[in-house]
């Protein structure tokens, strides 16, 4: 996505329980890291999420694993968004390792997906709220 815009960044510790029997962070946990970044961004722009009314769902998800992550450590999740469609937008993430100097220069994984805004009761897509649309790049 060439017209993406960074919309959020957050750091978090790698937890002991994130690792698997092979001694590295389990592949499924990378998706949780991306989810944490995506939800933090959406809560920031939407002012909280209303699971009874309208809100985001992710309809596709992917991840490219580049480097292993291990406990102990810290990561930075950078979230990028693409232009708004009527009810959806693409989101991508970079999961970066934080070094002993606090730098997050090494990308451990890249991934993303498509976010669709829906009416939860009707189970149908609805137009993106203006406050979300304003945070997205224009295409």
């Amino acid at each position: 996505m060439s017209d993406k815009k960074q919309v959020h960044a957050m750091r978090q510790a790698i937890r002991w329980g994130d690792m698997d029997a092979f001694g590295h962070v389990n592949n499924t946990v990378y998706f949780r890291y991306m989810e944490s970044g995506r939800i933090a961004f959406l809560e920031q722009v939407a002012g909280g999420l209303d699971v009874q009314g309208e809100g985001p769902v992710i309809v596709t998800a992917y991840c490219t694993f580049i480097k292993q992550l291990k406990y102990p450590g810290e990561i930075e999740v950078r979230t990028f968004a693409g232009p708004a469609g009527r009810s959806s937008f693409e989101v991508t993430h970079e999961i970066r390792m934080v070094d002993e100097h606090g730098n997050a220069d090494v990308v451990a994984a890249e991934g993303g997906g498509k976010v669709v805004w829906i009416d939860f009761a009707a189970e149908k897509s609805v137009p993106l709220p203006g406050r979300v649309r304003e945070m997205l790049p224009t295409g």
Side-chain angles (χ1 to χ4, degrees):
M1 160 180 5
S2 61
D3 48 358
K4 68 183 180 178
K5 166 185 168 185
Q6 184 172 336
V7 293
H8 191 267
M10 62 178 279
R11 290 192 174 187
Q12 71 180 63
I14 296 171
R15 300 167 301 211
W16 173 261
D18 293 346
M19 293 193 309
D20 61 18
F22 297 107
H24 60 252
V25 171
N26 186 280
N27 293 354
T28 61
V29 176
Y30 288 72
F31 286 95
R32 293 217 174 187
Y33 294 156
M34 290 186 286
E35 176 186 58
S36 293
R38 185 175 58 253
I39 294 301
F41 158 64
L42 290 169
E43 286 179 333
Q44 176 184 315
V45 298
L49 299 175
D50 174 14
V51 297
Q52 301 301 316
E54 297 177 356
V57 295
I58 189 158
V59 296
T60 61
Y62 63 91
C63 185
T64 302
F65 305 97
I66 300 167
K67 297 220 178 255
Q68 293 184 45
L69 294 172
K70 296 180 180 180
Y71 174 88
E74 184 180 24
I75 59 166
E76 180 173 286
V77 180
R78 296 182 185 175
T79 301
F80 302 84
R86 182 190 81 82
S87 61
S88 67
F89 62 96
E90 295 288 327
V91 64
T92 58
H93 306 277
E94 293 175 354
I95 299 172
R96 294 172 168 258
M97 297 185 284
V98 177
D99 68 18
E100 65 276 4
H101 305 291
N103 300 315
D105 298 328
V106 177
V107 177
E110 299 172 324
K114 185 173 189 173
V115 175
V116 176
W117 215 262
I118 67 162
D119 176 316
F120 291 115
E123 296 183 1
K124 295 188 184 235
S125 66
V126 295
L128 287 170
R131 62 191 180 277
V132 173
R133 187 176 294 281
E134 290 170 5
M135 291 298 297
L136 303 175
T138 56

